Amino acid sequence: MAHGMTDRVLDRLLRGAIERAAAPNGVRFTERQLYFELCRGVVPAHRLPRRPAFTVPAFVPDLLFRAALDRYGTIPGLLESARPLPRGVGRNTTEPDLFDYGLPRLLVCESIQVAAMLRANGVPMESACPVVSADDLPLDPGIAAMLDRAGGATVYVLHDASEEGLGLPARLPTLTDIPDGVRVAAIGLIPSQAAPLHLPHALGRAVEVESVNPAVLLRTVHRLVRGIHRTTTPLVDVRSARRTGFLTWPTA
């Protein structure tokens, strides 16, 4: 579908995607999140009823997307490509007793870009939950000790709806030390949650976390890691969602 678009039409759609990705208050976003916002502008399947449930192909070819980025120039709010955190993160702190405290929650993201985006938008401070990616593992022994010290701590895992992503929570103890008594809770994304929202999928029908609108992702992660219940009827009960791996995306 996007192959027949003129540059002018694609540039207009890109401007709309930039506005949506940054809404409502200057959200920082990744290039991949912007790409999926552009795809939603081309095929607004997210406006359709939840049933029947299906995902949609990402119709915009990568070459056309990158050409549109080049024509646009500097994009406010667009994050640079992320790199793994320095080994021993937290050791260079002005608080020498930092590792003497308990850490009740930690979020591990499959995607290094998603982890950087959540940090850039203040999730660690707002949710009192440090955010790392699978690329940052293994954890510093001091962080593992903090989880142990907290008593009943939880490591949340945010992953794509793909074969590799769905297997990440089970693989986590092989990637880093998880103290006994620390719970590993998968919070999604899984196919049966992505399909009713008609999220765009990549090759192989994998659905990436970055296909979710940035502001929706931020609100949802905050609710899940803090255990905050919606005052209205939730899409999925938060407690059962954690047990089954659902990521209970709220409506935009």
Side-chain angles (χ1 to χ4, degrees), residues 177-248:
D177 179 34
I178 303 294
D180 293 339
V182 173
R183 188 170 64 113
V184 175
I187 58 174
L189 183 65
I190 65 174
S192 58
Q193 187 64 18
L197 302 180
H198 311 311
L199 296 176
H201 65 253
L203 294 175
R205 305 189 70 86
V207 183
E208 302 169 32
V209 168
E210 285 172 285
S211 68
V212 178
N213 172 269
V216 174
L217 177 62
L218 291 172
R219 293 197 301 269
T220 302
V221 167
H222 175 67
R223 288 187 181 116
L224 288 176
V225 302
R226 294 303 300 267
I228 298 175
H229 293 257
R230 295 167 63 91
T231 55
T232 56
T233 303
L235 299 178
V236 180
D237 178 74
V238 174
R239 287 167 294 186
S240 64
R242 288 178 184 154
R243 291 195 297 270
T244 60
F246 275 86
L247 181 48
T248 56

Side-chain angles (χ1 to χ4, degrees), residues 5-52:
M5 286 187 179
T6 65
D7 290 349
R8 182 176 179 180
V9 171
L10 195 60
D11 292 348
R12 178 175 56 80
L13 290 171
L14 178 61
R15 288 194 295 272
I18 294 170
E19 293 176 358
R20 292 192 303 276
N25 297 307
V27 172
R28 307 289 301 280
F29 52 89
T30 70
E31 184 177 289
R32 195 69 173 159
Q33 287 176 316
L34 179 58
Y35 170 74
F36 285 121
E37 283 298 330
L38 178 60
C39 291
R40 263 189 286 277
V42 175
V43 181
H46 60 291
R47 298 177 182 174
L48 297 174
R50 293 176 179 269
R51 293 290 182 267

